[in-house]
Amino acid sequence: MIIKEFCAENFTDIPKAIIAGATRIELCDNLAVGGTTPSYGVIKEAAIYTKDDNIPLAVIIRPRSGNFVYNSTEVKIMEEDILKAAEAGATALVMGALTEDNNIDKETMETLLIASQGLQITFHMAFDEIEDWKPAMDYLIDEGVEKILAHGGPLDKPLNIDKIKEMVEYADGRINIIIGGGVTYDNAEELAHQTGTNYVHGTKIVEF
């Protein structure tokens, strides 16, 4: 079974996406810049709606556009946003943090993971910027992160099927790989088959 995660910018399209077959929701704001943390009110209403349909609601924790290198103030903001997202009813969180040399910022991630209070975690497409990705994946697995969202390379290029397939094989069931960026209801099944994952993600992952 292919698990279709619909990327929702605000609440508006969530009811239509669920009717059309979405089985997970990632909620964010400002998709034009790759997504930032939505408001408390939006999270709360989305949580109420998705709960009735038993649909997991993953909320992105990203305080701004741009890179994924965060200072101490931004980390405090993310901690508070995590607490508020959990309070509003989120069942999962999507986040990530990098160092200046594009490795996982372990100190920041450990802070955010503590704040997450056991909610399921997806490390977002910041993972695509990590060159030495195998030890990075091992670290996320050791920390209990459940999923990685990846395109396999720059978003302005087609999905890097070979890279994603290698990631899925290396993961070996220890962590789930979600493919995103250019994945639609037309090509999702084929891309899932080619890469070996059953998790697909996008704003056009279902048709309505």
Side-chain angles (χ1 to χ4, degrees), residues 2-208:
I2 293 181
I3 298 167
K4 298 179 179 180
E5 181 176 85
F6 177 73
C7 184
E9 183 179 40
N10 66 54
F11 176 83
T12 308
D13 288 335
I14 290 177
K16 291 181 285 186
I18 292 174
I19 291 171
T23 47
R24 283 177 58 89
I25 301 293
E26 184 197 284
L27 181 63
C28 64
D29 200 0
N30 297 315
L31 270 179
V33 298
T36 57
T37 307
S39 74
Y40 179 88
V42 170
I43 299 170
K44 188 173 182 179
E45 288 305 312
I48 292 169
Y49 191 90
T50 53
K51 184 177 182 180
D52 288 342
D53 290 284
N54 201 28
I55 300 290
L57 176 68
V59 173
I60 193 167
I61 303 297
R62 188 179 177 216
R64 55 162 172 77
S65 61
N67 65 28
F68 304 103
V69 181
Y70 301 113
N71 61 39
S72 59
T73 301
E74 289 170 329
V75 174
K76 289 179 182 177
I77 291 169
M78 295 167 80
E79 280 187 276
E80 184 66 21
D81 283 342
I82 286 170
L83 296 174
K84 288 298 183 183
E87 179 185 305
T91 58
L93 302 170
V94 182
M95 58 192 187
L98 301 178
T99 59
E100 294 281 359
D101 56 352
N102 284 342
N103 287 306
I104 292 178
D105 184 341
K106 294 180 180 180
E107 183 178 351
T108 295
M109 283 302 298
E110 286 168 12
T111 298
L112 300 181
L113 288 168
I114 290 169
S116 69
Q117 306 169 70
L119 290 180
Q120 293 181 357
I121 304 296
T122 297
F123 194 95
H124 55 45
M125 284 185 180
F127 196 84
D128 287 327
E129 300 186 20
I130 302 171
E131 186 173 346
D132 194 11
W133 59 267
K134 289 182 179 179
M137 183 184 289
D138 290 336
Y139 166 79
L140 294 176
I141 292 166
D142 289 343
E143 291 297 316
V145 173
E146 189 185 59
K147 300 178 181 68
I148 296 172
L149 174 62
H151 184 72
L155 279 172
D156 60 352
K157 304 291 185 182
L159 184 79
N160 188 335
I161 292 172
D162 291 339
K163 171 75 174 293
I164 298 295
K165 187 176 180 181
E166 186 181 2
M167 288 175 62
V168 171
E169 290 173 352
Y170 184 75
D172 194 25
R174 298 176 298 158
I175 193 168
N176 294 303
I177 309 301
I178 310 175
I179 52 174
V183 185
T184 70
Y185 55 84
D186 285 325
N187 63 19
E189 288 196 25
E190 179 62 23
L191 290 174
H193 176 73
Q194 290 177 340
T195 56
T197 182
N198 61 341
Y199 282 87
V200 294
H201 165 100
T203 59
K204 298 178 181 179
I205 209 68
V206 291
E207 184 178 16
F208 55 84

